[in-house]
Amino acid sequence: MHSVRTQRLAGALISVLTLALAATGCGGSDSDTRGPGGGGGTAKGAGRTATADRVEPLATVPEPELPVTVDSADGTKVTITSADRLVPLTGSLNEIVFTLGLGKHVVARDITATFEQAAELPVVTRAHDVSAESVLSLRPTLVIAETTTGPAEAVDQIRDAGIPLLVVEPAKGLDDVGTRIGTVARALGVDAAGDELSARTAERIAAVQKRIPAPGDGGRPRVAFLYLRGSASVYLLGGRDSGASSLLEAAGAVDAGKESGLDKDFTAITSEALAKAAPDAILLMSKGLESVGGPDGLVKIPGVAETPAGLDRRFVSVDDGVLLNYGPRTDQVLASLVEQLYPDGE
């Protein structure tokens, strides 16, 4: 369950963790992370070969122009004088730094930074909590965190050691993609590269959206986002603030949980809640689907088999490592979602 920490399910981490811990009294393992980027299962729940779990850096490696002083999301101002040794404390932030072309300066990763270029870096988290000692031992010149990075004591210890520490807001939707890229690029003194990457990402997202079929006679597909960790008995239905709404709506779909009146981020799955949501398809993280035994196990969760999605076994899975990142690979996530929702182009 703790694998959601660094991406925070687009800001919904705390309540999800609370639900999980209340239900299980324990967390997930290090292997329960957001996995390789690319596609997941097909809309009918069958397997699909994932694309390579790599980021695509900009063609030209930028040269940081420092020092810069930037606003941090925790209300402070941070002056950055060197980008030589970078420690991004979430997988999403790591992805942005690498895609900007500054991966050679990254000296550590969060456990959810699973893409190939970062795989050999030392991990500076313990069960998804930041280890201040591990971070400081690497002598970073800049640490980049999010507002939900913790524990607070570790963040304070890094800052008190005199290390520049920038805090950024977590992503909640497609509108945050360019903003987050720009924030990180500005802090690294590579504004032009940030503009280029933001434009490239926006263009690719727009190109995917042009391939979305017009709504048919049945209207837009209703899609429910389920967060599952079978090993921890965590079964959650996403609502308005789950982080998935923006992605689903960009894919021409309706967030069934949000549309059914679920105003918070997640709620425990019940037959009644699923019946009210009445999804035509179900969106899951690939490891979540695996954790309940695949499509055969998913339909055994109370209420799933009775939904239109369950009856048709219309299950859409996207790899954990990118689903809700809202970063440079969001176009790939959207493309996978569109391909699975509209397998026949309609």
Side-chain angles (χ1 to χ4, degrees):
M1 180 58 195
H2 284 301
S3 65
V4 301
R5 185 194 65 78
T6 56
Q7 309 308 338
R8 284 137 320 272
L9 289 175
L13 164 75
I14 295 175
S15 55
V16 176
L17 285 177
T18 301
L19 280 167
L21 292 174
T24 69
C26 63
S29 67
D30 282 0
S31 63
D32 187 20
T33 63
R34 297 192 172 202
T42 70
K44 294 292 184 180
R48 181 192 303 277
T49 301
T51 58
D53 186 16
R54 294 180 57 84
V55 299
E56 181 189 346
L58 295 174
T60 302
V61 177
E63 186 63 37
E65 297 181 6
L66 299 171
V68 297
T69 298
V70 294
D71 292 324
S72 183
D74 58 358
T76 64
K77 287 187 178 295
V78 180
T79 297
I80 297 113
T81 60
S82 171
D84 289 345
R85 299 182 64 82
L86 305 174
V87 177
L89 287 177
T90 74
S92 175
L93 292 171
N94 235 311
E95 181 177 322
I96 292 173
V97 174
F98 268 85
T99 311
L100 284 168
L102 297 178
K104 67 179 181 179
H105 297 292
V106 178
V107 296
R109 67 179 176 94
D110 175 79
I111 198 165
T112 60
T114 57
F115 55 91
E116 185 176 308
Q117 293 100 318
E120 299 303 318
L121 290 171
V123 176
V124 289
T125 48
R126 296 172 181 164
H128 303 284
D129 284 337
V130 175
S131 167
E133 294 81 5
S134 297
V135 171
L136 293 174
S137 71
L138 293 168
R139 298 175 290 107
T141 57
L142 174 64
V143 174
I144 312 175
E146 292 190 356
T147 54
T148 52
T149 299
E153 294 80 7
V155 175
D156 290 341
Q157 186 177 343
I158 295 169
R159 184 183 283 116
D160 291 344
I163 305 299
L165 191 148
L166 175 68
V167 179
V168 301
E169 294 286 351
K172 297 180 180 179
L174 262 71
D175 290 343
D176 297 324
V177 174
T179 301
R180 277 169 61 83
I181 291 172
T183 297
V184 174
R186 196 156 41 251
L188 297 176
V190 292
D191 291 77
D195 292 342
E196 181 183 351
L197 181 57
S198 295
R200 187 186 85 175
T201 306
E203 289 170 2
R204 291 180 176 183
I205 289 172
V208 174
Q209 289 186 289
K210 289 180 181 178
R211 305 200 299 266
I212 299 172
D217 294 338
R220 296 188 296 160
R222 295 174 59 86
V223 183
F225 173 44
L226 303 189
Y227 184 84
L228 309 175
R229 283 300 181 261
S231 58
S233 298
V234 175
Y235 307 98
L236 303 173
L237 169 61
R240 182 186 62 191
D241 296 327
S242 72
S245 291
S246 178
L247 188 64
L248 290 172
E249 290 162 6
V254 173
D255 183 338
K258 172 184 173 181
E259 195 73 8
S260 70
L262 297 179
D263 291 332
K264 54 183 182 178
D265 43 23
F266 290 90
T267 189
I269 291 174
T270 64
S271 297
E272 294 76 14
L274 284 173
K276 188 174 182 180
D280 300 309
I282 290 175
L283 170 64
L284 312 100
M285 292 181 178
S286 56
K287 288 187 182 293
L289 182 58
E290 292 169 9
S291 77
V292 297
D296 291 341
L298 180 58
V299 295
K300 294 177 183 177
I301 295 175
V304 170
E306 288 73 41
T307 65
L311 290 169
D312 194 36
R313 291 209 170 199
R314 198 175 182 196
F315 308 139
V316 177
S317 69
V318 177
D319 290 312
D320 304 41
V322 292
L323 177 56
L324 297 180
N325 270 10
Y326 291 115
R329 292 193 286 177
T330 295
D331 66 293
Q332 296 178 29
V333 176
L334 188 60
S336 177
L337 183 55
V338 168
E339 179 183 355
Q340 294 178 76
L341 282 176
Y342 313 101
D344 301 318
E346 34 179 79

